[in-house]
Amino acid sequence: MTDMTYDVIVIGAGPVGENVADRVVRGGLTAAVVERELVGGECSYWACMPTKALLRSAAALRAARQVPGAREAVTGGLDVAAVLRRRDSFASNWADDGQVSWLGSAGIALHRGQGRISSERIVEVTGPDGATTTLTARHAVVVATGSSALVPDIAGLREAAPWTSREAAAAKAVPARLAVIGGGVVASEMATAFASLGSAVTVLARDGVLPQAEPFAGELVTTSLRDAGVSVRPGAEAASVTRDSNGTVRLTLTDGEQVEADELLVAVGRTPNTLDIGLDRIGLKPGAWLTVDDTLRVLGADGTPAGDGWLYAAGDVNHRALLTHQGKYQARAAGDVIVARAKGEPVQDGPWGRHVATADERAVPQVVFTDPEVASVGLTAAAAEAAGLRIRVVDYDLAAVAGSALHADGYTGHARLVVDEDRQVIAGCTLAGPDVAELLHAATIAVVGEVPLDRLWHAVPAYPTVSEVWLRLLEAYGRSYQATTP
């Protein structure tokens, strides 16, 4: 057994854990990360990067086919093998040498194995060879273990060896028939990807497609999926699943209908990776999400910091916003606050404080890379009303913008602003259409910066671009141009 001491120990070396460690090292502290799988985590190998690589080739082909002149130059379909090779390259062929090298260059120590908290500020690491290393943190332990795909309790489902997001992202071959349980982001993106790669896809979307988004977004994506040959079944729910000796998966729905497929993807949510990290040793519940304050310090059942405040949790594991960019945002905040507290410096709190994560509540940006793309930030109309805001909803047809017509023939899309009428600022924005992902950050700045509508009149969109929709939305809102004083 080996004993080692660092200022900060991070359990989990995904993008969140890497950013926490980097931030504290930049602040003058020492840090170590503990990782049981690949350094770089879910996003690098089984989520963000490989899945978007799977989607990109088909999106580029669709874009070319929507523009005369380019359309005529396209003489064939997708080269599936080339798509999969490109996907593999973005997943670094599931090798983490590059990420490990970066840790070394950043001055961050790596301990491979399963990390478990054994007592206050103590983490025991069981390595691949069974040897145990005891790590002691002078100031903080950070849990950044992320989440895994949730497999629901459907009769026979686990025995049928379904795909989760990991298997879908890393698939070595395209199944002739793919069934998908779920209608959220992963389900919609993978249905889009595999339909474009040649699978006959059936989506069993009990709660509809993209149920957490504005309704028009789910409607546009549903229409597009069906146009691509996908069988989208809103309200459909699996009651049982079997896989026969030939590998065929048979799903029996709650209404008695049967669906057959060669592979089954389950995409119905996430569960925290906290079952085997020693939470029971410090009075917390194994397998549960970790509740944190805005400085990312873990709270106990009574709402006060666990222990004396040495334990932090960032990323998916705290269930605030299960998105890589939000986890990295939390990581920066957590790293800064750990350094400040270690040095005895005051912690800046409040909505604009350096040491707090507040964007997770009402200013989360997200892109769903379906066809069409769905880009959103802030609150939907339904969420804003549920939060008690007095709102006005402003809609505009993206196809009516001059830049959209230039972008693609037959451009179809929609834009919505949710305006907080009492404060005269944007509380939410959703855009659905080809390539709207690149419009999102302007909306994010408007929401986070709480830019008054009167000031937005002075943010003049370039013509002819799709961004002209901002002017059209303001016109639709109905407030006339007003000269304002900066």
Side-chain angles (χ1 to χ4, degrees):
M1 179 179 291
T2 304
D3 296 340
M4 305 185 74
T5 300
Y6 302 90
D7 290 322
V8 179
I9 299 167
V10 183
I11 306 176
V16 176
E18 289 176 323
N19 273 269
V20 172
D22 185 49
R23 203 75 170 190
V24 299
V25 168
R26 287 173 182 269
L29 305 184
T30 60
V33 294
V34 180
E35 179 53 59
R36 65 180 183 179
E37 294 186 298
L38 295 176
V39 175
E42 202 79 10
C43 181
S44 297
Y45 308 105
W46 302 287
C48 320
M49 299 307 291
T51 60
K52 303 315 172 278
L54 279 177
L55 288 156
R56 177 57 191 156
S57 298
L61 183 59
R62 283 193 301 271
R65 287 174 171 167
Q66 286 184 282
V67 182
R71 177 189 301 138
E72 289 74 16
V74 178
T75 58
L78 284 178
D79 182 329
V80 174
V83 172
L84 296 182
R85 285 195 300 272
R86 185 170 190 264
R87 181 276 317 270
D88 292 353
S89 72
F90 275 95
S92 301
N93 292 294
W94 291 274
D96 63 1
D97 303 33
Q99 299 276 19
V100 172
S101 176
W102 176 83
L103 286 179
S105 68
I108 301 165
L110 169 64
H111 294 270
R112 289 195 183 271
Q114 176 66 51
R116 299 180 181 88
I117 300 168
S118 60
S119 60
E120 183 174 309
R121 294 187 177 84
I122 305 295
V123 176
E124 291 185 352
V125 183
T126 303
D129 60 358
T132 300
T133 301
T134 299
L135 307 180
T136 300
R138 296 186 185 91
H139 299 294
V141 174
V142 183
V143 178
T145 48
S147 64
S148 298
L150 174 67
V151 179
D153 292 325
I154 297 173
L157 179 58
R158 288 180 175 81
E159 293 77 7
W163 280 2
T164 66
S165 53
R166 280 197 169 195
E167 289 76 22
K172 297 302 181 184
V174 176
R177 300 170 298 174
L178 174 67
V180 181
I181 297 178
V185 174
V186 172
S188 300
E189 288 187 345
M190 290 300 93
T192 301
F194 280 92
S196 72
L197 294 171
S199 290
V201 181
T202 300
V203 177
L204 307 177
R206 184 189 65 183
D207 300 320
V209 172
L210 301 180
Q212 300 303 314
E214 294 284 10
F216 69 80
E219 292 166 5
L220 286 169
V221 172
T222 297
T223 297
S224 178
L225 286 171
R226 286 174 171 161
D227 288 346
V230 176
S231 175
V232 182
R233 310 282 295 278
E237 186 173 2
S240 64
V241 181
T242 62
R243 187 188 288 268
D244 66 22
S245 58
N246 295 320
T248 298
V249 179
R250 290 185 175 84
L251 299 93
T252 301
L253 308 187
T254 52
D255 63 3
E257 183 183 355
Q258 288 200 335
V259 173
E260 291 190 356
D262 299 297
E263 293 294 350
L264 169 62
L265 167 61
V266 179
V268 295
R270 308 289 294 179
T271 187
N273 293 331
T274 60
L275 189 61
D276 190 25
I277 61 170
L279 293 184
D280 54 316
R281 299 287 190 91
I282 54 173
L284 297 173
K285 182 180 178 181
W289 301 101
L290 294 174
T291 301
V292 297
D293 62 18
D294 283 347
T295 66
L296 288 311
R297 206 158 44 175
V298 174
L299 304 178
D302 61 357
T304 62
D308 64 356
W310 56 271
L311 184 63
Y312 294 75
D316 280 14
V317 74
N318 63 37
H319 207 238
R320 286 167 65 117
L322 279 66
L323 295 162
T324 297
H325 47 276
Q326 292 300 121
K328 291 163 74 172
Y329 160 75
Q330 292 177 12
R332 294 189 292 271
D336 285 350
V337 79
I338 289 168
V339 170
R341 285 174 173 155
K343 294 181 177 180
E345 297 172 354
V347 172
Q348 301 171 24
D349 55 13
W352 306 112
R354 176 185 173 194
H355 302 113
V356 292
T358 56
D360 297 333
E361 296 176 8
R362 294 189 177 184
V364 175
Q366 180 175 16
V367 178
V368 186
F369 291 87
T370 44
D371 175 30
E373 290 178 347
V374 177
S376 61
V377 62
L379 302 177
T380 61
E385 289 179 340
L389 300 183
R390 187 174 67 89
I391 65 169
R392 181 176 168 190
V393 174
V394 184
D395 289 296
Y396 198 80
D397 180 3
L398 266 176
V401 177
S404 300
L406 285 169
H407 189 83
D409 282 8
Y411 190 107
T412 300
H414 194 82
R416 170 172 290 182
L417 293 184
V418 177
V419 177
D420 181 336
E421 289 285 77
D422 292 328
R423 295 188 301 145
Q424 284 292 292
V425 297
I426 298 170
C429 176
T430 298
L431 304 142
D435 299 318
V436 294
E438 303 308 327
L439 302 179
L440 182 59
H441 200 56
T444 302
I445 291 170
V447 172
V448 174
E450 300 177 343
V451 182
L453 292 182
D454 284 348
R455 287 300 302 154
L456 284 177
W457 278 102
H458 300 277
V460 182
Y463 181 88
T465 66
V466 184
S467 290
E468 191 187 6
V469 70
W470 280 96
L471 172 59
R472 303 306 172 206
L473 286 164
L474 288 174
E475 290 175 337
Y477 182 73
R479 290 181 63 85
S480 61
Y481 172 86
Q482 297 180 29
T484 55
T485 301

